[in-house]
């Protein structure tokens, strides 16, 4: 069994034989936030202000939106800034995306780029991926779970709509025998070449 429409599963030779009930609760999501102001462009309009990201404050003066995004990305704030274009006049805005799913980073901007995630919340809240395997909750910052059942790696595709799906791991005796025979033949051939 290689999974369901909600997850896929890969196994290694040392996978524990058995049946496992798997339910995907949620996928990993990175926090996203967008500055309130829209601008005509990203490379000529000059901006001034401050942005507090977590416990750090970045002051900027006479920089473009693109330059501001670069200034933010040069530091280790745990997020990436990018300029988005909504496709309308004055459609350029500053977007912040957390580097890691599940991280919550407060952002407060004053001046030309205003944002207040403390008061207004996040555009998209970040969350960890979550799955239940045999009734036990597992969490991850990605949609891959590899530290659950020995030898199994789950890739979460979408939240389960129908509860648990069952994964059955069995020994493939024929494949194991074929692999061992090929190894013996290769060793024998290596000895015979001398």
């Amino acid at each position: 069994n290689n999974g369901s429409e909600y997850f896929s599963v890969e196994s290694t030779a040392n996978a524990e034989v058995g049946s496992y009930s798997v339910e995907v609760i949620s996928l990993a999501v990175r926090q996203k936030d967008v500055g309130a102001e829209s601008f005509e462009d990203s490379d000529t309009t000059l901006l001034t202000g401050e942005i507090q990201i977590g416990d750090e404050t970045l002051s900027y003066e006479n920089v473009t939106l693109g330059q501001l995004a670069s200034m933010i990305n040069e530091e280790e704030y745990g997020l990436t800034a990018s300029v988005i274009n909504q496709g309308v006049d004055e459609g350029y805005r500053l977007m912040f995306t957390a580097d890691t799913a599940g991280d919550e980073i407060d952002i407060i901007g004053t001046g030309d780029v205003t944002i207040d995630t403390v008061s207004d919340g996040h555009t998209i809240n970040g969350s960890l991926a979550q799955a239940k395997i045999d009734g036990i909750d597992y969490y991850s910052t990605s949609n891959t779970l590899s530290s659950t059942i020995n030898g199994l790696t789950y890739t979460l595709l979408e939240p389960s709509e129908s509860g648990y799906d069952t994964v059955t791991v069995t020994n493939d005796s024929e494949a194991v025998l074929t692999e061992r025979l090929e190894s013996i033949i290769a060793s024998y051939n290596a000895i015979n070449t001398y």
Side-chain angles (χ1 to χ4, degrees), residues 41-184:
D41 60 57
S42 65
D43 55 2
T44 59
T45 303
L46 297 179
L47 311 171
T48 299
E50 283 188 352
I51 297 179
Q52 181 179 341
I53 303 171
D55 295 330
E56 304 290 326
T57 301
L58 172 69
S59 296
Y60 58 95
E61 186 173 344
N62 296 324
V63 298
T64 66
L65 196 59
Q67 289 170 329
L68 178 56
S70 294
M71 289 172 64
I72 293 167
N73 294 336
E74 288 171 2
E75 302 298 325
E76 295 291 327
Y77 294 120
L79 55 73
T80 300
S82 57
V83 175
I84 61 170
N85 181 356
Q86 294 180 284
V88 295
D89 289 341
E90 295 190 12
Y92 289 89
R93 296 172 77 184
L94 190 61
M95 179 187 286
F96 303 88
T97 304
D99 293 338
T100 305
D103 283 355
E104 182 177 337
I105 303 168
D106 291 328
I107 306 167
I108 299 174
T110 58
D112 290 324
V113 176
T114 61
I115 185 170
D116 186 349
T117 63
V118 174
S119 298
D120 302 332
H122 300 289
T123 305
I124 295 176
N125 290 315
S127 64
L128 296 173
Q130 179 186 0
K132 283 188 179 219
I133 302 173
D134 289 342
I136 300 170
D137 288 310
Y138 292 91
Y139 300 89
S140 176
T141 57
S142 74
N143 290 319
T144 302
L145 301 172
S146 56
S147 299
T148 58
I149 307 299
N150 188 34
L152 298 179
T153 299
Y154 297 91
T155 301
L156 310 182
L157 305 174
E158 64 179 276
S160 300
E161 295 176 2
S162 57
Y164 287 94
D165 284 304
T166 301
V167 173
T168 303
V169 178
T170 60
N171 278 334
D172 188 348
S173 304
E174 189 176 311
V176 171
L177 182 59
T178 301
E179 184 179 313
R180 288 184 181 162
L181 284 174
E182 287 174 352
S183 175
I184 290 169

